[in-house]
Amino acid sequence: MTKPVVQTIRALSVRVLPGKRRNPTAIVRMRIGPLIVSVAVARLRKSGLNARLPVNDDGRPAIEARPEVWTAIQKAAFEAVIRDPVASEHLFGPELRHLDRSVEGQLQEIGASPS
C-alpha cells in the first residue's frame, strides 16, 4: 500500500477573531489536498506563533498529519497571516513591530518569511 501524498497545501482565506483576547488569534481556512481545514494561528506571549488544528470534544486533534505535512501546513498558515494586512496588524501591530526574535526564528526554521 502506498502512502498518499498531499499535493496542495494553500491558504484560502484569513479572518481575525473578533473582540479583545489575551492571545491575538486569526483563523486560516486552508486547502490540504481534497480537504478544507481551519487552522488557528495565535501569537502567544511566551512561545511566539502557534498553529492549531481543530480538536475533538476530548481535546485531541480532529485530524493528524505526518511531521513534514504539519510543517508545510504551519508554513502556509503563518505566511497567510503575515501577508494579510488585517491579520498581521492584529497579531503583531503596525509594520510587524512585535515580530520579535523568537517569532523570526520560528518562521526561518520552517522556511516562512515576513517579507
Side-chain angles (χ1 to χ4, degrees):
M1 188 161 128
T2 62
K3 291 183 183 178
V5 176
V6 176
Q7 296 177 358
T8 57
I9 297 176
R10 66 183 173 96
L12 301 173
S13 66
V14 179
R15 70 180 172 87
V16 173
L17 292 180
K20 284 275 194 185
R21 296 179 175 275
R22 180 177 177 179
N23 299 312
T25 303
I27 304 297
V28 182
R29 285 189 70 235
M30 304 187 72
R31 176 171 298 285
I32 303 171
L35 303 175
I36 303 290
V37 178
S38 293
V39 176
V41 176
R43 183 178 51 84
L44 306 179
R45 291 181 180 155
K46 292 184 179 181
S47 59
L49 286 180
N50 181 299
R52 294 174 299 209
L53 290 169
V55 295
N56 288 321
D57 292 340
D58 62 1
R60 296 178 63 188
I63 64 172
E64 295 180 24
R66 295 186 319 264
E68 63 275 11
V69 174
W70 177 239
T71 298
I73 292 168
Q74 284 181 303
K75 177 182 177 185
F78 291 166
E79 286 178 342
V81 166
I82 288 169
R83 284 181 174 71
D84 183 274
V86 173
S88 66
E89 184 166 336
H90 179 70
L91 266 65
F92 308 110
E95 301 173 13
L96 300 176
R97 71 171 182 235
H98 295 299
L99 193 60
D100 61 22
R101 287 192 175 147
S102 65
V103 172
E104 286 177 348
Q106 281 180 294
L107 296 175
Q108 288 174 355
E109 186 176 305
I110 65 166
S113 169
S115 57

